[in-house]
Amino acid sequence: MLKLTLLRTLLAASLTAASAGAAAQPPRLYPLQDFFRNPERGFFRLADDGATLGFMQPVAIEGHPARMNIHVQELRDGRPTGEPRRLTAETERDISNFFWKGSDIVLFQKDFGGDENFHVLAVNAKTGAITDLTPFEGARAHIEDDLPDDPGHVLISHNHRDPEVFDVYRVDVRTGKADLVAQNPGNVVGWQTDHAGRVRAAVTSDGLNTTLLYRDDEKSEFRPLVTTDYRTSVSPALFTFDNSKLYVLSNRGRDRLALAVLDPAKPEQEDLVYEPEQVDLDAAGYSRKRRVLTMAAYQTDKPRYHFFDKQTEDLYARLGKLLPGYDLAIQGWNREEDTFIVAAYNDRTPGSRYLYSQRADTLHKLADINPALPEKDMAQVKPISYTSRDGLTIHGYLTLPVGRDPRNLACIVNPHGGPWARDGWGYNAEAQFLANRGFCVLQMNFRGSTGYGRKFWEAGFGQWGLKMQDDITDGVKWLIDQGIADPKRVGIYGGSYGGYATLAGVTFTPDLYAAAVDYVGVSNLFTFMNTIPPYWKPLLDKMHDMVGDPERDRDRLAATSPALHVDRITTPLFIAQGAKDPRVNKAESDQVVEALRKRGVEVEYMVKENEGHGFHNDENKFEFYAAMEKFFSEHLKP
């Protein structure tokens, strides 16, 4: 009771402060494109020698819409000099990310129409020559290790030999010649290299149990170290710096993921290195040059760091003085680890990117990521929590429109995808766009979300459409009880699992929502599990255990599949779907639309033939968000 009273007091204080600010006029409505267009320049990366900067910017080539393409520019005295040179000429889809291999090769991935069958390509930064390192139709590839000490090769895993599993190859980045390093026996779901780039550990799964394998060198056979059920994680993060032991992210014998050292000679033991007090550990960082752990990263209400290394702590402290008032993330560095790409951001802006020379103690701004949206006109993102009907604490984030009294607002509930993921604090273009249009936005980490420990994650097993949905419903009731939401003007919008939650919301609580937008969402738990990508099949037993078995749990899955109960849907509904979505097949949306239209219920339906699990091309994003804005404005009247 004390905790709830304190929460209400704190929330009342924050709302009072918001009300005080509400006397000011709301900011102007910024163009939709300003929220969702690609940055004019972003994704900065440093070559190993620190002499060249890589970045991406949109370029329109031969009349095609502008796409994000890779450029390089020389650096001198801590700042770019001369004219940038474009290395790639993609016209169909944006390049989503890239990184340097040494100082003259750039690696990037691309898929085709959103099918997620990614190829790995190498482009020579001096000549512009491009080599597809994995030219296999229908196969999915990714980089296992960039082999920083081997200038000519990388380790790439792909499923060309067998669509269900991934083998590892050492690939020449100039010719594409590939040599098999580790063949998957059929049950390996993850590989781990040591600091010399040797494949020394692997994780296998039979669906319900996982085993950590280890070998002393690449000529030896793998041997099992630890076997657990899938609910217990002992996941290799990196080798110790003498390559003899493993740092693992483990919740063995505890509720939360922590960093520990596992000795292959004594695998039943773990030496705890660091465990956050309230949440799971997300990741650990290290210095390759100095061979030390640097920091651990985790999220409570905001991103947090624990420093192992004074040099890294001093670096962040110095950057904090140079960039006060912003959260910081180091996004890249050179091989000498004395020049850094620094991101400075907060909840109201994606911020700016800087080049920091530690040796000269100079900071040079490279770009503002979105200068079209003034930080002062964007909305604060407030961490909140509420109690579910069965007593769980549900954490989330509330974004209130600027310059408006936070009472009786039109509100949009936005459950995240995954569902085994979580929402975090920071800049969110969707939330800021909706707030700019006058909506409040509530995001919640319902049970089953990750980051809050094993018990909270397990509480979502078998609860799609049931207690997981109750947590979302309880969030709506919390908004109403606080006086923030007008109960007649609440909408729901989500993608992927969030799309499922949207459909479940309007199916099983039809009076709660006045409008709903389902974006690439699951609708039928039977057809969804029958159309998963082939590389998910080794984990299908695990999915049956976490979500439901089509035979054993047939009645429950039938009861919680919105597509089988569309007769209950009365809420205005807008559905958007990518035709090439490999995870949530287009049939998931088709069957809902067809059933509603057979009943004479009109449902707005947008399908993009050149998209997959979510829309990535600017013109498709703009069309989707314009339609969503019109739809919500019509039905919720902000």
Side-chain angles (χ1 to χ4, degrees), residues 11-22:
L11 182 70
S14 69
L15 292 181
T16 300
S19 297

Side-chain angles (χ1 to χ4, degrees), residues 415 469 492-495 497-507 516-518 573:
Q469 197 69 30
I492 184 169
Y493 157 61
Y497 176 83
Y500 167 83
T502 295
L503 292 174
V506 297
T507 302
V517 176
D518 158 32
L573 180 61

Side-chain angles (χ1 to χ4, degrees), residues 249-529:
L249 289 178
S250 172
N251 61 4
R252 186 168 49 158
R254 63 178 71 85
D255 183 56
R256 296 181 300 276
L257 283 172
L259 184 66
V261 172
L262 183 71
D263 185 344
K266 297 177 288 185
E268 69 283 353
Q269 297 176 210
E270 291 178 0
D271 294 326
L272 184 65
V273 177
Y274 180 71
E275 179 182 9
E277 291 184 3
Q278 300 173 316
V279 295
D280 289 321
L281 187 68
D282 290 331
Y286 67 98
S287 164
R288 182 174 184 84
K289 178 185 176 182
R290 295 183 292 115
R291 296 164 61 89
V292 295
L293 287 178
T294 55
M295 61 197 299
Y298 58 98
Q299 292 186 73
T300 54
D301 57 336
K302 293 178 65 176
R304 309 288 180 186
Y305 299 130
H306 171 83
F307 294 102
F308 300 115
D309 169 56
K310 188 173 189 308
Q311 185 168 323
T312 304
E313 187 172 12
D314 289 347
L315 172 62
Y316 272 79
R318 178 58 182 153
L319 291 171
K321 290 179 180 179
L322 293 171
L323 299 165
Y326 292 93
D327 279 42
L328 303 173
I330 294 178
Q331 296 183 327
W333 49 86
N334 61 343
R335 190 174 176 87
E336 280 299 306
E337 300 180 8
D338 61 9
T339 307
F340 302 90
I341 304 293
V342 180
Y345 68 96
N346 61 28
D347 54 339
R348 290 170 293 150
T349 175
S352 305
R353 303 296 179 264
Y354 298 86
L355 187 66
Y356 176 66
S357 170
Q358 191 170 32
R359 187 173 299 174
D361 191 29
T362 56
L363 190 72
H364 173 74
K365 182 185 280 191
L366 296 170
D368 294 316
I369 298 303
N370 195 346
L373 298 175
E375 183 179 336
K376 65 180 178 59
D377 286 347
M378 297 297 103
Q380 289 187 341
V381 178
K382 300 178 182 296
I384 59 94
S385 64
Y386 57 89
T387 303
S388 71
R389 65 190 67 183
D390 61 350
L392 284 183
T393 298
I394 307 299
H395 295 275
Y397 299 90
L398 179 65
T399 304
L400 295 170
V402 176
R404 295 174 187 258
D405 185 5
R407 302 286 170 186
N408 293 317
L409 294 169
C411 290
I412 294 172
V413 175
N414 180 211
H416 63 71
W420 307 297
R422 62 158 288 176
D423 274 323
W425 182 90
Y427 179 81
N428 181 302
E430 289 183 333
Q432 293 295 340
F433 169 64
L434 292 169
N436 183 251
R437 292 330 193 234
F439 298 100
C440 87
V441 180
L442 177 65
Q443 301 163 283
M444 72 287 288
N445 290 314
F446 43 81
R447 75 189 67 200
S449 300
T450 54
Y452 296 95
R454 176 167 43 181
K455 290 178 183 176
F456 190 82
W457 173 59
E458 289 180 355
F461 290 4
Q463 296 300 316
W464 286 41
L466 300 170
K467 290 182 179 180
M468 291 169 74
Q469 197 69 30
D470 290 344
D471 293 344
I472 298 168
T473 301
D474 292 345
V476 177
K477 292 180 177 177
W478 177 85
L479 272 178
I480 295 169
D481 290 345
Q482 298 297 324
I484 299 168
D486 179 344
K488 295 181 180 178
R489 293 190 298 151
V490 176
I492 184 169
Y493 157 61
S496 195
Y497 176 83
Y500 167 83
T502 295
L503 292 174
V506 297
T507 302
F508 306 124
T509 52
D511 299 328
L512 197 61
Y513 300 106
V517 176
D518 158 32
Y519 185 41
V520 299
V522 174
S523 72
N524 183 324
L525 295 176
F526 297 101
T527 56
F528 164 61
M529 284 189 274

Side-chain angles (χ1 to χ4, degrees), residues 56 68-70 88 90 93-98 108-109:
M56 290 202 292
M68 293 298 276
N69 274 282
I70 301 169
T88 58
E90 296 297 318
R93 292 174 68 76
D94 293 329
I95 294 173
S96 59
N97 202 356
F98 75 96
F108 68 99
Q109 293 178 290

